[in-house]
Amino acid sequence: MSLYSQWTDMVVDYVKTKGEAAFWSEYSDIERRIYTELLGSHNTVKKATIEKLAKDYNTTSEFVMGFVDGINESLKNPYDLENIAADQELVFDIDFEQLYFNMLDAKADYLYDLPQWDGIFSVEKRKEIAVQYRESKIARNENKIGRNDPCPCGSGKKYKKCCGKGE
């Protein structure tokens, strides 16, 4: 069984036995501590194994695998999560703009509000990324036909007098 499968199974068991609130409390604490260090030393690419991170942060390999699952899309070279071993050295070469964007998407205010972001992006840059995030969530129908546009059926009539009649 892969470490990633162990992580997902552990989450299900944890929530069943201790509750969702207890899971998020423990997981977010671990995640916050790891991100505080990563963001604080953002000029250095961190290299570590899951086992080492688990030892350093006094947690289990499964919880660290959850962290890797969360940061994976923000890495310049993402990993195949199913094939990560606990003793494999991982390189956390982070795309910080993508990471901030993903934290906004996850609604992880306990992470995107960390003071360590001040050393990476200006307040203006963070606002710009937040605007990009909000824009990405707006659904737009670019192909909407106006009432006075020619009807797409090719009749030569205005849309409102042809296929759009009764709308």
Side-chain angles (χ1 to χ4, degrees), residues 5-165:
S5 296
Q6 291 173 353
W7 152 246
T8 57
D9 291 348
M10 186 273 299
V11 171
V12 171
D13 291 341
Y14 196 109
V15 169
K16 280 182 185 175
T17 57
K18 297 180 182 176
E20 192 171 342
F23 167 77
W24 283 110
S25 175
E26 184 170 349
Y27 177 73
S28 61
D29 176 60
I30 294 163
E31 196 175 35
R32 185 182 307 107
R33 289 186 288 139
I34 296 173
Y35 274 117
T36 297
E37 179 190 334
L38 282 176
L39 297 174
S41 59
H42 66 275
N43 291 324
T44 306
V45 175
K46 176 127 177 123
K47 295 177 183 179
T49 65
I50 288 178
E51 289 173 337
K52 171 111 173 64
L53 290 172
K55 184 179 177 198
D56 290 349
Y57 293 98
N58 195 26
T59 189
T60 66
S61 293
E62 289 85 4
F63 271 113
V64 174
M65 184 65 214
F67 163 77
V68 173
D69 183 16
I71 197 172
N72 197 43
E73 289 182 8
S74 303
L75 297 177
K76 293 177 183 172
N77 297 302
Y79 290 97
D80 176 3
L81 297 175
E82 287 288 345
N83 293 317
I84 293 177
D87 60 350
Q88 174 184 344
E89 183 176 71
L90 302 177
V91 178
F92 295 98
D93 191 9
I94 303 167
D95 177 340
F96 288 100
E97 281 191 41
Q98 187 65 48
L99 178 63
Y100 194 80
F101 186 95
N102 290 342
M103 287 178 175
L104 291 168
D105 192 36
K107 297 173 182 43
D109 57 334
Y110 63 96
L111 296 175
Y112 63 76
D113 284 344
L114 287 171
Q116 286 75 13
W117 281 110
D118 294 340
I120 301 171
F121 296 130
S122 66
V123 172
E124 293 79 23
K125 179 65 175 174
R126 284 180 275 168
K127 285 180 182 177
E128 179 184 315
I129 296 169
V131 167
Q132 290 171 358
Y133 166 71
R134 286 191 300 277
E135 287 286 318
S136 76
K137 297 303 173 189
I138 297 173
R140 292 187 172 89
N141 185 354
E142 300 288 330
N143 300 326
K144 185 169 176 150
I145 303 164
R147 290 176 27 84
N148 290 316
D149 291 341
C151 191
C153 75
S155 68
K157 297 179 184 178
K158 288 185 179 184
Y159 180 69
K160 70 182 177 185
K161 297 278 188 183
C162 190
C163 295
K165 204 173 205 173

